Amino acid sequence: MPSSPHRALRGSLVLCLAAALSALTPSPAAASPGSGPTAVVAMGDSYISGEAGRWLGNSLTTSGSRNGTDRAWTGSGYDPSRVYGSTAANGCHRSDTAEVKSAGPIASALVNLACSGATTDHVFRATHGGVAYKGEAPQADQLATVAATHDVKLIALSIGGNDLGFADIITTCATDYIVWYSYCHDDQQAEVDAKIDGVMADVGKAIDEIRAVMTGAGYASGDYRIVLQSYPSPIPRAAENRYSESGWSRTNTGGCPFWDKDSDWARDSLVPQIANRLKAVATAKGAQFMDLRDMLQGREVCAKASKQVSATVPASAATSEWARWIDQNQTQGPLQENMHPNAYGQAALGRCLALVDERPGGNVSCRNTPGTGASGMYLTAG
């Protein structure tokens, strides 16, 4: 017997209601602000990816464990993937001691999207000028995936240094010391001044891109924080260098081949200039700023207050250098590790991030306490 119109209508209503409820029920894999596992995300370049995390100080010994400084030593050879995991192959060099990984249990997931060598266009979304890098999608597009499956609380961003040509500046200054016996600070300052306005505009766009991703994932501006950080100087002031600028000790022993005037320019002019400009971008974009210009004070390569590791001087967070020297002959690892915070420096950066995580507002400066390890890091109002 044919169904009555009322029974057919009731059946249609049931089907429509079931479909509506199904559409309203989130996928088990999806999360939203305030739900799902919490996450802190690192984005940007080598200073936050974990570049040089392979090293515990610097040693002149070129074989074996290099007096215990080489964490890639297996006992019979070297395996950088012990430190950088799968990113040893593509060069992103996300180390196991990277800032976000060294911060401790500040979230359920500590996500590192940063990649050594990245510039601002490797952060932008692909639909807004972003470019894939080293076989990976733009970092903002990767963030979208994280934001959809986690409750992202904080995003730490280090970017702009490669846009300004940090690596080229270091190469030029070292070459001027070793080969040409001339200064680099005058022409390099002009290069930076010519680029910096455009670079800072791109840093601002990177923050906008991150916000657009988070808004698209359903986050309100108060649901998460963006922390933009500056860069520390890996070399000391001239007066704080334990090697004379004459002779070859800075090149062959210290791994810091820079003239006094160039060292002072880098430490007291270039690094502060970049920090101050990044702070202005953070303020304009409503991000929190972490100033790292003094983070390596006394722990830089060749600093009088620190020591190289040797057979009689063991590696120590309290006494060893916290940055990787310039190994121009590549007798110990690739050149891209040069002039970056090493495993000790990254542990210190992780402590800085943990302290910022506990301080939800205001700009800060992170500094170290002489004679201590990462536990001695502290914040001041910045």
Side-chain angles (χ1 to χ4, degrees):
M1 187 173 80
S3 301
S4 73
H6 298 291
R7 185 178 296 114
L9 178 61
R10 285 197 300 272
S12 297
L13 288 173
V14 169
L15 290 174
C16 289
L17 180 59
L21 288 173
S22 175
L24 290 172
T25 302
S27 166
S32 60
S35 67
T38 59
V40 170
V41 182
M43 300 179 66
D45 56 28
S46 55
Y47 270 75
I48 198 169
S49 75
E51 184 67 84
R54 172 176 173 175
W55 304 97
L56 293 168
N58 300 307
S59 170
L60 292 169
T61 300
T62 59
S63 61
S65 70
R66 341 275 196 181
N67 293 128
T69 63
D70 193 346
R71 301 175 60 235
W73 175 244
T74 65
S76 59
Y78 303 100
D79 180 9
S81 68
R82 290 163 64 98
V83 176
Y84 300 121
S86 61
T87 65
N90 73 357
C92 278
H93 281 190
R94 298 183 186 112
S95 72
D96 55 357
T97 59
E99 181 178 318
V100 71
K101 298 295 185 180
S102 293
I106 59 175
S108 299
L110 303 173
V111 183
N112 190 354
L113 303 180
C115 184
S116 183
T119 58
T120 48
D121 60 3
H122 301 130
V123 173
F124 307 155
R125 291 169 293 173
T127 55
H128 288 71
V131 178
Y133 186 57
K134 296 186 177 179
E136 298 183 358
Q139 292 178 34
D141 292 329
Q142 296 181 56
L143 175 64
T145 301
V146 178
T149 55
H150 293 76
D151 180 17
V152 177
K153 293 298 187 183
L154 188 152
I155 300 162
L157 175 65
S158 170
I159 202 69
N162 290 318
D163 299 70
L164 283 170
F166 265 5
D168 290 339
I169 291 172
I170 290 170
T171 300
T172 298
C173 291
T175 301
D176 283 355
Y177 180 87
I178 298 169
V179 179
W180 301 117
Y181 300 97
S182 61
Y183 295 124
C184 72
H185 63 270
D186 44 4
D187 58 326
Q188 291 305 301
Q189 183 64 65
E191 292 277 348
V192 170
D193 289 343
K195 295 177 181 177
I196 197 163
D197 287 347
V199 170
M200 291 303 143
D202 285 341
V203 173
K205 180 181 175 181
I207 294 176
D208 291 342
E209 289 288 291
I210 290 169
R211 290 207 184 280
V213 167
M214 298 301 286
T215 299
Y219 291 73
S221 60
D223 291 332
Y224 66 97
R225 278 187 288 154
I226 298 174
V227 176
L228 178 66
Q229 60 190 52
S230 66
Y231 299 91
S233 173
I235 58 173
R237 299 176 178 91
E240 297 166 356
N241 195 311
R242 63 178 179 263
Y243 303 105
S244 168
E245 71 172 342
S246 62
W248 293 99
S249 57
R250 287 189 182 180
T251 302
N252 296 333
T253 304
C256 56
F258 304 100
W259 294 110
D260 283 351
K261 287 186 178 181
D262 290 339
S263 299
D264 287 344
W265 165 72
R267 179 65 180 84
D268 290 327
S269 182
L270 177 63
V271 168
Q273 177 187 13
I274 295 170
N276 292 338
R277 293 297 300 270
L278 288 170
K279 181 179 180 180
V281 172
T283 299
K285 296 297 181 179
Q288 192 172 8
F289 178 65
M290 180 162 64
D291 193 339
L292 298 175
R293 74 182 76 184
D294 297 317
M295 175 255 163
L296 289 175
Q297 175 61 38
R299 315 304 188 102
E300 307 99 333
V301 179
C302 297
K304 287 180 179 177
S306 297
K307 301 176 181 178
Q308 283 187 351
V309 179
S310 68
T312 57
V313 180
S316 165
T319 61
S320 299
E321 296 163 330
W322 284 8
R324 187 64 180 156
W325 61 9
I326 290 182
D327 178 20
Q328 61 174 331
N329 296 320
Q330 297 188 73
T331 58
Q332 302 181 27
L335 286 174
Q336 73 179 72
E337 293 176 317
N338 295 350
M339 296 285 105
H340 289 86
N342 60 26
Y344 291 135
Q346 289 174 27
L349 286 168
R351 179 58 182 160
C352 293
L353 183 60
L355 292 171
V356 169
D357 180 65
E358 298 170 357
R359 188 166 175 165
N363 297 330
V364 297
S365 175
C366 194
R367 305 164 186 262
N368 74 77
T369 301
T372 68
S375 62
M377 302 305 294
Y378 65 94
L379 299 180
T380 60

